[in-house]
Amino acid sequence: MSAIDHYINAVVLQGEREAREDGSAVVEAHHVLLAIAVHEDTAARRVLVEAGLDRQAIRDALDREFEHSLNAAGVSLSSFGSPRATPDPRRRVGMGASTRLALERAFAHATGKKDLRPAHVLIGILEAEVGTVPRALALAGAERAGLIERVRQTTATEHW
């Protein structure tokens, strides 16, 4: 296995853990984003951290996005006081559509698999124009286009 194969495997596995923690049946792009934020020694993680988006900041933004989405539907999360999901470590977690699309976009940004890097995976996630990730980033005050540009710059100057 190449280094990028190991990296993608690691972030998808961490994404599965994040999905289980959420009680989700599938790994979506926001789970992989959380995984990227904890995978050390990559330019992708550095860009996120420099933008104030470590794992906890992303988790907080995702929680705000969830509450905001419920409010838009006329549901108040605080009215219900629902408990967090109970993770089931035996549950098989599938790959969600947003993750598949993010990985497709990542591969499209590399000239070939040998040139694919963690930054491409992050770009693939950040380029989604609709969905949980762009809504959460907006609520976190992160400027998505600026983040994408910073990640693109790292692909030109950094190997990993």
Side-chain angles (χ1 to χ4, degrees):
M1 270 180 136
S2 68
I4 193 64
D5 289 326
H6 286 289
Y7 175 79
I8 290 172
N9 187 55
V11 295
V12 168
L13 287 174
Q14 179 62 34
E16 285 180 12
R17 287 188 284 277
E18 298 288 352
R20 277 192 194 92
E21 184 178 312
D22 280 352
S24 180
V26 293
V27 178
E28 294 294 358
H30 63 277
H31 298 121
V32 178
L33 180 61
L34 288 164
I36 290 170
V38 298
H39 196 90
E40 296 192 13
D41 298 326
T42 66
R45 180 179 184 272
R46 275 194 304 282
V47 170
L48 289 173
V49 170
E50 287 168 4
L53 295 169
D54 62 8
R55 186 203 177 279
Q56 188 59 53
I58 294 168
R59 177 79 263 161
D60 292 345
L62 290 168
D63 290 345
R64 283 193 308 278
E65 186 280 332
F66 181 67
E67 186 170 3
H68 187 265
S69 293
L70 287 176
N71 287 339
V75 177
S76 171
L77 186 61
S78 60
S79 297
F80 292 100
S82 59
R84 298 281 300 173
T86 303
D88 182 354
R90 297 166 299 170
R91 179 185 209 175
R92 184 165 190 308
V93 180
M95 185 77 65
S98 64
T99 297
R100 284 192 303 274
L101 290 170
L103 290 174
E104 286 175 18
R105 287 189 298 266
F107 276 91
H109 282 287
T111 55
K113 185 178 175 189
K114 65 180 178 67
D115 296 320
L116 188 66
R117 293 190 294 277
H120 293 115
V121 177
L122 180 56
I123 289 171
I125 292 170
L126 295 175
E127 282 186 334
E129 294 188 21
V130 296
T132 302
V133 170
R135 288 191 307 265
L137 291 175
L139 288 169
E143 203 270 305
R144 201 172 48 87
L147 274 173
I148 292 169
E149 184 54 34
R150 278 180 284 204
V151 178
R152 281 194 177 124
Q153 289 170 359
T154 68
T155 64
T157 60
E158 297 186 38
H159 176 68
W160 196 248

